[in-house]
């Protein structure tokens, strides 16, 4: 695996001001920006081929790939990340600007923020627009998606309960037409949220009733077989695009041996409330429960400081075995906030892209990972200046 340090793509800052808390290293050699809507040869790109339900293996010849980490209910920060990725218009009309780009969001849309359903609605809308231009949008589910389908609401923001209540009312207004309501929610949610603030009531008993209503609404939407749980069931927990593996926590050799497509199917089946014997869904433990499950694993993304040399070598060996079993060059994960920003570890075989951008986490500036012709680089936005960053060539 050859690697080289190259300059980052230079983009204007997103439309939202962001706090700058760190300085990036300036590197010398140049790496010109590529037009995300055209192939390097100037010809038409071959179509994207998707295998598995939910999508598990994706062939996207010649596509620019951009990956966005955990957004945790923060619509403003999610929009900013998508803008600096070059896939979302900055005029507020939520238009896809990525052409044939492939976008992947690595889970944990839910919890810690108020506008979870709005973000999911935006991503679906962008997927429809992207497909019309030869691109695509994918998502993988994280531990906070699976927790909510389990009924674990410990990390739900109070505003997110309100959003669930408002969305159910909007769904009723749409005669329970899921597609119309879900796709329309990104445009409707802002008005409903503003109406909520205007009608805010500080009387304790009323707020208690309101909270109970929100909990019930969330349970209806996210229980196995619920409409929002079925929406999440459209997404994988592990996705391989070209030579790159994407998952929320981290993939291990035993996960690959169990079967990546099998895990995706079982999680989707459980979220849909289905089972082989029509009684109770089988819980997909290997993918969603336990410290070393796919959505909870932090083996690769935890801080390497304090690790002994033999521990680092062992982790790298496990990672290399996993990638070899999948025929992949590298893995991209979220889940663990990286206080230094998007970075790679273990000879850049793993990229960690959760920067804690949500105001409910670290409120850090958004960063995204871009992969073009097997060259990976980080795109960061600062309010008043641009960054020069590392890129790695996997060819």
């Amino acid at each position: 695996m050859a690697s080289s340090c190259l300059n980052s793509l230079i983009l204007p800052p997103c439309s939202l001001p962001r706090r700058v808390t760190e300085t990036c290293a300036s590197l010398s050699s140049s790496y010109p920006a590529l037009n995300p809507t055209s192939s390097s040869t100037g010809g038409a790109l071959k179509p994207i081929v998707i295998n598995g339900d939910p999508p598990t293996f994706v062939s996207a010849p010649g596509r620019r790939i951009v990956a966005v980490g955990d957004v945790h209910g923060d619509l403003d920060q999610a929009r900013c990340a998508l803008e600096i990725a070059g896939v979302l218009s900055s005029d507020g009309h939520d238009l896809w600007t990525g052409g044939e780009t492939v976008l992947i969001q690595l889970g944990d849309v839910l919890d810690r923020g108020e506008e979870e359903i709005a973000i999911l609605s935006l991503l679906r809308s962008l997927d429809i627009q992207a497909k019309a231009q030869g691109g695509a949008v994918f998502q993988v589910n994280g531990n906070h998606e699976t927790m909510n389908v389990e009924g674990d609401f410990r990390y739900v923001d109070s505003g997110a309960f309100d959003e669930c209540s408002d969305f159910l009312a909007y769904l009723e207004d749409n005669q329970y037409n899921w597609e119309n309501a879900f796709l329309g929610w990104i445009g409707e949610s802002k008005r409903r949220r503003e109406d909520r603030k205007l009608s805010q009531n500080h009387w304790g008993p009323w707020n208690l009733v309101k909270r109970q209503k929100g909990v019930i609404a969330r349970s209806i939407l996210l229980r196995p077989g619920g409409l929002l749980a079925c929406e999440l069931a459209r997404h994988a927990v592990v996705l391989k695009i070209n030579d790159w593996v994407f998952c929320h926590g981290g993939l291990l050799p035993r996960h690959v041996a169990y079967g990546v497509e099998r895990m995706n199917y079982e999680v989707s089946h459980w979220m849909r409330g289905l089972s082989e014997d029509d009684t109770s869904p089988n819980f997909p433990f290997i993918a969603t429960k336990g410290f070393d499950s796919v959505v909870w694993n932090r083996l690769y993304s935890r801080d390497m400081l304090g690790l002994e040399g033999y521990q680092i070598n062992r982790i790298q060996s496990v990672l290399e075995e996993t990638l070899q079993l999948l025929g992949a060059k590298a893995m991209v994960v979220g889940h663990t906030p990286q206080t230094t920003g998007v970075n790679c570890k273990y000879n850049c075989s793993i990229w960690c892209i959760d920067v804690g951008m949500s105001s409910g986490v670290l409120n850090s500036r958004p960063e995204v990972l871009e992969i073009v012709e097997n060259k990976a680089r980080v795109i960061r936005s600062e309010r008043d200046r641009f960054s020069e960053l590392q890129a790695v060539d996997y060819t």
Side-chain angles (χ1 to χ4, degrees), residues 314-332:
R314 175 56 182 157
I315 294 171
Q316 184 163 342
S317 175
V318 170
L319 176 57
E320 290 174 354
E321 180 184 355
T322 305
L323 294 174
Q324 186 176 18
L325 288 170
L326 282 168
K329 294 181 182 294
M331 189 184 304
V332 184

Side-chain angles (χ1 to χ4, degrees), residues 226-263:
L227 289 172
L228 193 53
C230 288
E231 181 67 28
L232 296 176
R234 299 173 64 248
H235 311 306
V237 290
V238 181
L239 182 65
K240 185 178 181 227
I241 304 177
N242 297 341
D243 295 325
W244 293 74
V245 179
F246 301 86
C247 57
H248 182 69
L251 205 62
L252 300 172
R254 72 183 190 92
H255 300 143
V256 182
Y258 185 82
V260 171
E261 196 164 5
R262 177 184 176 187
M263 283 192 297

Side-chain angles (χ1 to χ4, degrees), residues 100-286:
E100 294 173 303
T101 296
V102 172
L103 166 69
I104 179 164
Q105 196 281 321
L106 261 69
D108 276 12
V109 172
L110 300 187
D111 289 342
R112 306 188 191 279
E114 295 185 331
E115 297 178 275
E116 310 158 311
I117 305 175
I119 295 172
L120 293 170
S121 172
L122 173 61
L123 290 171
R124 177 87 100 82
S125 174
L126 291 176
D127 182 36
I128 293 171
Q129 296 177 59
K131 285 176 178 175
Q133 298 181 36
V137 176
F138 296 99
Q139 295 169 245
V140 296
N141 287 314
N143 60 304
H144 283 269
E145 280 72 47
T146 62
M147 287 168 67
N148 274 269
V149 177
E150 288 180 67
D152 185 344
F153 297 161
R154 284 177 294 167
Y155 301 99
V156 180
D157 187 276
S158 60
F161 283 120
D162 294 336
E163 187 189 32
C164 287
S165 297
D166 288 348
F167 179 73
L168 269 188
Y170 183 61
L171 183 61
E172 183 178 3
D173 293 343
N174 280 268
Q175 287 78 49
Y176 295 96
N177 184 311
W178 174 258
E179 290 297 307
N180 287 348
F182 187 64
L183 289 171
W185 184 246
I186 184 58
E188 176 71 12
S189 61
K190 182 178 180 181
R191 184 185 69 80
R192 299 254 177 172
R193 189 180 178 199
E194 290 172 349
D195 288 348
R196 263 200 326 266
K197 290 181 178 178
L198 290 174
S199 61
Q200 193 171 14
N201 192 314
H202 296 285
W203 186 50
W206 170 252
N207 287 331
L208 179 61
V209 171
K210 183 182 175 186
R211 174 59 58 83
Q212 289 175 332
K213 181 181 177 183
V215 171
I216 292 170
R218 194 173 187 89
S219 299
I220 290 171
L221 288 169
L222 281 164
R223 66 190 177 194
L227 289 172
L228 193 53
C230 288
E231 181 67 28
L232 296 176
R234 299 173 64 248
H235 311 306
V237 290
V238 181
L239 182 65
K240 185 178 181 227
I241 304 177
N242 297 341
D243 295 325
W244 293 74
V245 179
F246 301 86
C247 57
H248 182 69
L251 205 62
L252 300 172
R254 72 183 190 92
H255 300 143
V256 182
Y258 185 82
V260 171
E261 196 164 5
R262 177 184 176 187
M263 283 192 297
N264 284 341
Y265 171 80
E266 289 178 352
V267 174
S268 178
H269 212 58
W270 164 66
M271 287 183 165
R272 295 178 197 275
L274 304 174
S275 67
E276 299 302 327
D277 57 7
D278 295 324
T279 54
S280 61
N282 295 319
F283 194 85
F285 192 91
I286 191 170

Side-chain angles (χ1 to χ4, degrees), residues 345-368:
K345 310 178 195 292
Y346 304 106
N347 292 329
C348 283
S349 292
I350 189 86
W351 283 88
C352 305
I353 69 168
D354 176 12
V355 296
M357 72 177 78
S358 170
S359 59
V361 185
L362 299 179
N363 197 32
S364 62
R365 68 169 180 229
E367 303 180 8
V368 301

Side-chain angles (χ1 to χ4, degrees), residues 8-20 22 24 33-34 36 64-71 75-91 94-98 101-104 122 126 341-342 353-355 357 364-372 377-387 389:
S8 169
L9 174 65
I10 298 177
L11 290 177
C14 64
S15 58
L16 299 166
R18 293 292 166 236
R19 181 178 62 194
V20 179
E22 60 190 26
C24 303
L34 298 179
R64 170 181 181 255
I65 301 171
V66 287
V68 176
D70 309 32
V71 294
L75 179 59
D76 287 343
Q77 291 281 64
R79 275 199 172 109
C80 185
L82 296 171
E83 285 176 26
I84 67 172
V87 298
L88 178 68
S89 62
S90 59
D91 58 6
D94 296 329
L95 300 176
W96 174 260
T97 59
T101 296
V102 172
L103 166 69
I104 179 164
L122 173 61
L126 291 176
V342 173
I353 69 168
D354 176 12
V355 296
M357 72 177 78
S364 62
R365 68 169 180 229
E367 303 180 8
V368 301
L369 180 68
E370 179 194 58
I371 304 164
V372 179
R377 58 182 175 177
V378 186
I379 306 174
R380 294 176 181 169
S381 174
E382 297 179 357
R383 185 162 66 178
D384 297 318
R385 66 186 182 86
F386 305 117
S387 306
L389 299 135

